[in-house]
Amino acid sequence: MTDALEHSLTRAIKPLLDAVGATALDPAEAKPDDVILEWDGAPAVAVRLPHLSSALDRLLAEMTRQFDGRPLSELDRLEKQRVVALLEERGAFTVRHGVETVAAALGVSRFTVYNYLNRQVDGPKGG
């Protein structure tokens, strides 16, 4: 490809692009929906944002990374509750079929995911 992918701006934003699932492109390859970033007044890199349909998959992959690469289904109950809490903070359950998808990844039922979510809202019981 061209120098755009070797530009210092591209290298600087690579961790961000990776985190959100975006792709860096040469500005000449940009489509109308891509974001062109300029450096010193000239187009330096185009950023192609991911489709929303892949957002939940990216969030689940990030959870796997955060838990040392272990499959989410192998986590203990407290770790699974933490995953649900983190996913809730990031809006995972606003995506259609989010609860079902997360339940399958965790190896639990939808009912269990709803219990974890309700536990967050109600706070720990006891006293």
CSV table of all heavy atoms in Angstrom, one decimal, residues 17-53:
chain,number,residue,atom,x,y,z
A,17,LEU,N,-7.8,2.1,16.7
A,17,LEU,CA,-8.4,1.4,15.6
A,17,LEU,C,-8.7,-0.1,16.0
A,17,LEU,O,-9.8,-0.6,15.7
A,17,LEU,CB,-7.6,1.5,14.3
A,17,LEU,CG,-7.3,2.9,13.8
A,17,LEU,CD1,-6.5,2.8,12.5
A,17,LEU,CD2,-8.6,3.7,13.5
A,18,ASP,N,-7.7,-0.7,16.5
A,18,ASP,CA,-7.8,-2.1,16.9
A,18,ASP,C,-8.9,-2.3,18.0
A,18,ASP,O,-9.7,-3.2,17.9
A,18,ASP,CB,-6.5,-2.7,17.5
A,18,ASP,CG,-5.4,-2.8,16.4
A,18,ASP,OD1,-5.8,-2.7,15.2
A,18,ASP,OD2,-4.3,-3.0,16.8
A,19,ALA,N,-9.0,-1.4,18.9
A,19,ALA,CA,-10.0,-1.5,20.0
A,19,ALA,C,-11.4,-1.4,19.5
A,19,ALA,O,-12.3,-2.0,20.0
A,19,ALA,CB,-9.7,-0.5,21.1
A,20,VAL,N,-11.6,-0.5,18.5
A,20,VAL,CA,-13.0,-0.3,18.0
A,20,VAL,C,-13.3,-1.1,16.7
A,20,VAL,O,-14.4,-1.1,16.2
A,20,VAL,CB,-13.3,1.2,17.8
A,20,VAL,CG1,-13.1,2.0,19.0
A,20,VAL,CG2,-12.4,1.8,16.6
A,21,GLY,N,-12.3,-1.8,16.2
A,21,GLY,CA,-12.5,-2.7,15.1
A,21,GLY,C,-12.5,-1.9,13.8
A,21,GLY,O,-13.0,-2.3,12.8
A,22,ALA,N,-11.8,-0.7,13.8
A,22,ALA,CA,-11.7,0.1,12.6
A,22,ALA,C,-10.5,-0.3,11.7
A,22,ALA,O,-9.6,-1.0,12.2
A,22,ALA,CB,-11.6,1.6,12.9
A,23,THR,N,-10.5,0.2,10.5
A,23,THR,CA,-9.4,-0.2,9.6
A,23,THR,C,-8.8,1.1,9.0
A,23,THR,O,-9.5,2.0,8.7
A,23,THR,CB,-9.9,-1.0,8.4
A,23,THR,OG1,-10.6,-2.1,8.9
A,23,THR,CG2,-8.8,-1.5,7.5
A,24,ALA,N,-7.5,1.2,9.0
A,24,ALA,CA,-6.8,2.3,8.4
A,24,ALA,C,-6.6,2.0,6.9
A,24,ALA,O,-6.3,0.9,6.5
A,24,ALA,CB,-5.4,2.5,9.0
A,25,LEU,N,-6.8,3.1,6.1
A,25,LEU,CA,-6.7,3.0,4.6
A,25,LEU,C,-6.0,4.2,4.1
A,25,LEU,O,-6.0,5.2,4.7
A,25,LEU,CB,-8.1,2.9,4.0
A,25,LEU,CG,-9.1,1.9,4.4
A,25,LEU,CD1,-10.5,2.2,3.9
A,25,LEU,CD2,-8.7,0.5,3.8
A,26,ASP,N,-5.5,4.0,2.9
A,26,ASP,CA,-5.0,5.2,2.1
A,26,ASP,C,-6.2,6.1,1.8
A,26,ASP,O,-7.2,5.6,1.5
A,26,ASP,CB,-4.3,4.7,0.8
A,26,ASP,CG,-3.6,5.8,0.1
A,26,ASP,OD1,-4.4,6.7,-0.4
A,26,ASP,OD2,-2.4,5.8,0.0
A,27,PRO,N,-6.0,7.4,2.0
A,27,PRO,CA,-7.1,8.3,1.7
A,27,PRO,C,-7.7,8.2,0.3
A,27,PRO,O,-8.9,8.4,0.1
A,27,PRO,CB,-6.5,9.7,2.0
A,27,PRO,CG,-5.4,9.5,2.9
A,27,PRO,CD,-4.9,8.1,2.6
A,28,ALA,N,-6.8,7.8,-0.6
A,28,ALA,CA,-7.3,7.6,-2.0
A,28,ALA,C,-8.3,6.5,-2.1
A,28,ALA,O,-9.1,6.4,-3.1
A,28,ALA,CB,-6.1,7.4,-2.9
A,29,GLU,N,-8.3,5.5,-1.2
A,29,GLU,CA,-9.2,4.4,-1.2
A,29,GLU,C,-10.5,4.7,-0.4
A,29,GLU,O,-11.4,3.8,-0.3
A,29,GLU,CB,-8.5,3.2,-0.6
A,29,GLU,CG,-7.3,2.7,-1.4
A,29,GLU,CD,-6.6,1.6,-0.7
A,29,GLU,OE1,-7.2,0.8,0.1
A,29,GLU,OE2,-5.4,1.4,-0.9
A,30,ALA,N,-10.6,5.8,0.2
A,30,ALA,CA,-11.7,6.2,1.1
A,30,ALA,C,-13.1,6.2,0.3
A,30,ALA,O,-13.2,6.6,-0.8
A,30,ALA,CB,-11.5,7.5,1.7
A,31,LYS,N,-14.1,5.7,1.0
A,31,LYS,CA,-15.5,5.7,0.6
A,31,LYS,C,-16.1,6.9,1.3
A,31,LYS,O,-15.6,7.4,2.2
A,31,LYS,CB,-16.2,4.4,0.9
A,31,LYS,CG,-15.6,3.2,0.1
A,31,LYS,CD,-16.4,2.0,0.5
A,31,LYS,CE,-15.8,0.8,-0.3
A,31,LYS,NZ,-16.5,-0.5,0.0
A,32,PRO,N,-17.3,7.3,0.8
A,32,PRO,CA,-18.0,8.4,1.4
A,32,PRO,C,-18.2,8.3,2.9
A,32,PRO,O,-18.2,9.3,3.6
A,32,PRO,CB,-19.3,8.5,0.7
A,32,PRO,CG,-19.0,7.9,-0.6
A,32,PRO,CD,-18.0,6.8,-0.4
A,33,ASP,N,-18.4,7.1,3.5
A,33,ASP,CA,-18.6,7.0,4.9
A,33,ASP,C,-17.4,6.9,5.7
A,33,ASP,O,-17.4,6.9,7.0
A,33,ASP,CB,-19.5,5.7,5.2
A,33,ASP,CG,-20.9,5.8,4.7
A,33,ASP,OD1,-21.4,7.0,4.5
A,33,ASP,OD2,-21.6,4.8,4.5
A,34,ASP,N,-16.2,6.8,5.1
A,34,ASP,CA,-15.0,6.8,5.8
A,34,ASP,C,-14.6,8.1,6.4
A,34,ASP,O,-15.0,9.2,5.9
A,34,ASP,CB,-13.8,6.3,4.9
A,34,ASP,CG,-14.0,4.8,4.5
A,34,ASP,OD1,-14.8,4.1,5.2
A,34,ASP,OD2,-13.5,4.4,3.4
A,35,VAL,N,-13.8,8.1,7.4
A,35,VAL,CA,-13.3,9.4,8.1
A,35,VAL,C,-11.9,9.6,7.6
A,35,VAL,O,-11.0,8.8,7.8
A,35,VAL,CB,-13.4,9.3,9.6
A,35,VAL,CG1,-12.9,10.5,10.3
A,35,VAL,CG2,-14.8,8.9,10.1
A,36,ILE,N,-11.7,10.8,7.0
A,36,ILE,CA,-10.3,11.2,6.6
A,36,ILE,C,-9.7,12.0,7.7
A,36,ILE,O,-10.2,13.0,8.1
A,36,ILE,CB,-10.4,12.0,5.3
A,36,ILE,CG1,-11.2,11.3,4.2
A,36,ILE,CG2,-9.0,12.4,4.8
A,36,ILE,CD1,-10.5,10.2,3.5
A,37,LEU,N,-8.5,11.6,8.1
A,37,LEU,CA,-7.8,12.3,9.1
A,37,LEU,C,-6.7,13.1,8.4
A,37,LEU,O,-6.0,12.5,7.6
A,37,LEU,CB,-7.2,11.4,10.2
A,37,LEU,CG,-8.2,10.6,11.0
A,37,LEU,CD1,-7.5,9.6,11.9
A,37,LEU,CD2,-9.2,11.4,11.7
A,38,GLU,N,-6.5,14.3,8.8
A,38,GLU,CA,-5.5,15.2,8.2
A,38,GLU,C,-4.3,15.4,9.1
A,38,GLU,O,-4.5,15.3,10.3
A,38,GLU,CB,-6.0,16.5,7.7
A,38,GLU,CG,-7.1,16.4,6.6
A,38,GLU,CD,-7.5,17.8,6.1
A,38,GLU,OE1,-7.0,18.8,6.6
A,38,GLU,OE2,-8.3,17.8,5.2
A,39,TRP,N,-3.1,15.6,8.5
A,39,TRP,CA,-1.9,15.9,9.3
A,39,TRP,C,-1.2,17.0,8.5
A,39,TRP,O,-1.0,16.9,7.3
A,39,TRP,CB,-1.0,14.6,9.3
A,39,TRP,CG,0.1,14.8,10.3
A,39,TRP,CD1,1.4,15.1,9.9
A,39,TRP,CD2,0.1,14.5,11.6
A,39,TRP,NE1,2.2,15.1,11.0
A,39,TRP,CE2,1.4,14.7,12.1
A,39,TRP,CE3,-0.8,14.1,12.6
A,39,TRP,CZ2,1.8,14.6,13.4
A,39,TRP,CZ3,-0.4,13.9,13.9
A,39,TRP,CH2,0.9,14.2,14.3
A,40,ASP,N,-1.0,18.1,9.2
A,40,ASP,CA,-0.3,19.3,8.6
A,40,ASP,C,-1.1,19.7,7.4
A,40,ASP,O,-0.5,20.1,6.3
A,40,ASP,CB,1.1,19.0,8.2
A,40,ASP,CG,2.0,18.9,9.5
A,40,ASP,OD1,1.7,19.5,10.5
A,40,ASP,OD2,3.0,18.1,9.4
A,41,GLY,N,-2.4,19.7,7.5
A,41,GLY,CA,-3.3,20.2,6.4
A,41,GLY,C,-3.5,19.3,5.2
A,41,GLY,O,-4.1,19.7,4.2
A,42,ALA,N,-3.0,18.1,5.3
A,42,ALA,CA,-3.1,17.2,4.1
A,42,ALA,C,-3.7,15.8,4.6
A,42,ALA,O,-3.4,15.4,5.7
A,42,ALA,CB,-1.7,16.9,3.5
A,43,PRO,N,-4.5,15.2,3.8
A,43,PRO,CA,-5.1,13.9,4.2
A,43,PRO,C,-3.9,12.9,4.5
A,43,PRO,O,-3.0,12.7,3.7
A,43,PRO,CB,-5.8,13.4,2.9
A,43,PRO,CG,-6.1,14.7,2.2
A,43,PRO,CD,-5.0,15.6,2.4
A,44,ALA,N,-4.0,12.3,5.6
A,44,ALA,CA,-2.9,11.4,6.1
A,44,ALA,C,-3.4,9.9,6.1
A,44,ALA,O,-2.7,9.0,5.6
A,44,ALA,CB,-2.4,11.7,7.4
A,45,VAL,N,-4.6,9.7,6.5
A,45,VAL,CA,-5.1,8.3,6.6
A,45,VAL,C,-6.7,8.4,6.6
A,45,VAL,O,-7.3,9.3,7.1
A,45,VAL,CB,-4.6,7.6,7.9
A,45,VAL,CG1,-5.1,8.3,9.2
A,45,VAL,CG2,-5.0,6.1,7.9
A,46,ALA,N,-7.2,7.4,6.0
A,46,ALA,CA,-8.7,7.2,6.1
A,46,ALA,C,-9.0,6.1,7.1
A,46,ALA,O,-8.3,5.2,7.2
A,46,ALA,CB,-9.2,6.8,4.7
A,47,VAL,N,-10.1,6.3,7.8
A,47,VAL,CA,-10.5,5.3,8.8
A,47,VAL,C,-11.9,4.8,8.4
A,47,VAL,O,-12.8,5.5,8.2
A,47,VAL,CB,-10.5,5.9,10.2
A,47,VAL,CG1,-11.1,4.9,11.2
A,47,VAL,CG2,-9.2,6.4,10.6
A,48,ARG,N,-11.9,3.5,8.3
A,48,ARG,CA,-13.2,2.8,8.0
A,48,ARG,C,-13.7,2.2,9.3
A,48,ARG,O,-13.1,1.3,9.9
A,48,ARG,CB,-13.0,1.7,6.9
A,48,ARG,CG,-14.3,1.1,6.6
A,48,ARG,CD,-14.3,0.4,5.2
A,48,ARG,NE,-14.0,1.4,4.2
A,48,ARG,CZ,-13.4,1.1,3.0
A,48,ARG,NH1,-13.1,-0.2,2.8
A,48,ARG,NH2,-13.2,2.0,2.1
A,49,LEU,N,-14.8,2.7,9.7
A,49,LEU,CA,-15.4,2.2,11.0
A,49,LEU,C,-16.1,0.9,10.7
A,49,LEU,O,-16.6,0.6,9.6
A,49,LEU,CB,-16.4,3.3,11.5
A,49,LEU,CG,-15.8,4.6,11.8
A,49,LEU,CD1,-16.8,5.6,12.2
A,49,LEU,CD2,-14.8,4.4,13.0
A,50,PRO,N,-16.2,0.0,11.7
A,50,PRO,CA,-16.8,-1.3,11.5
A,50,PRO,C,-18.4,-1.1,11.5
A,50,PRO,O,-18.9,-0.1,12.0
A,50,PRO,CB,-16.4,-2.0,12.8
A,50,PRO,CG,-16.2,-1.0,13.8
A,50,PRO,CD,-15.7,0.2,13.1
A,51,HIS,N,-19.0,-2.2,11.0
A,51,HIS,CA,-20.4,-2.2,11.0
A,51,HIS,C,-20.9,-2.5,12.5
A,51,HIS,O,-20.2,-3.3,13.2
A,51,HIS,CB,-20.9,-3.3,10.1
A,51,HIS,CG,-20.7,-3.0,8.7
A,51,HIS,ND1,-21.5,-2.1,8.0
A,51,HIS,CD2,-19.7,-3.5,7.8
A,51,HIS,CE1,-21.0,-2.0,6.7
A,51,HIS,NE2,-19.9,-2.8,6.6
A,52,LEU,N,-22.0,-2.0,12.8
A,52,LEU,CA,-22.6,-2.2,14.2
A,52,LEU,C,-22.8,-3.7,14.4
A,52,LEU,O,-22.7,-4.2,15.6
A,52,LEU,CB,-23.9,-1.5,14.3
A,52,LEU,CG,-24.5,-1.5,15.7
A,52,LEU,CD1,-23.6,-1.0,16.8
A,52,LEU,CD2,-25.8,-0.8,15.7
A,53,SER,N,-23.1,-4.5,13.4
A,53,SER,CA,-23.4,-5.9,13.6
A,53,SER,C,-22.2,-6.7,14.2
A,53,SER,O,-22.4,-7.7,14.8
A,53,SER,CB,-23.8,-6.5,12.2
A,53,SER,OG,-22.7,-6.4,11.3
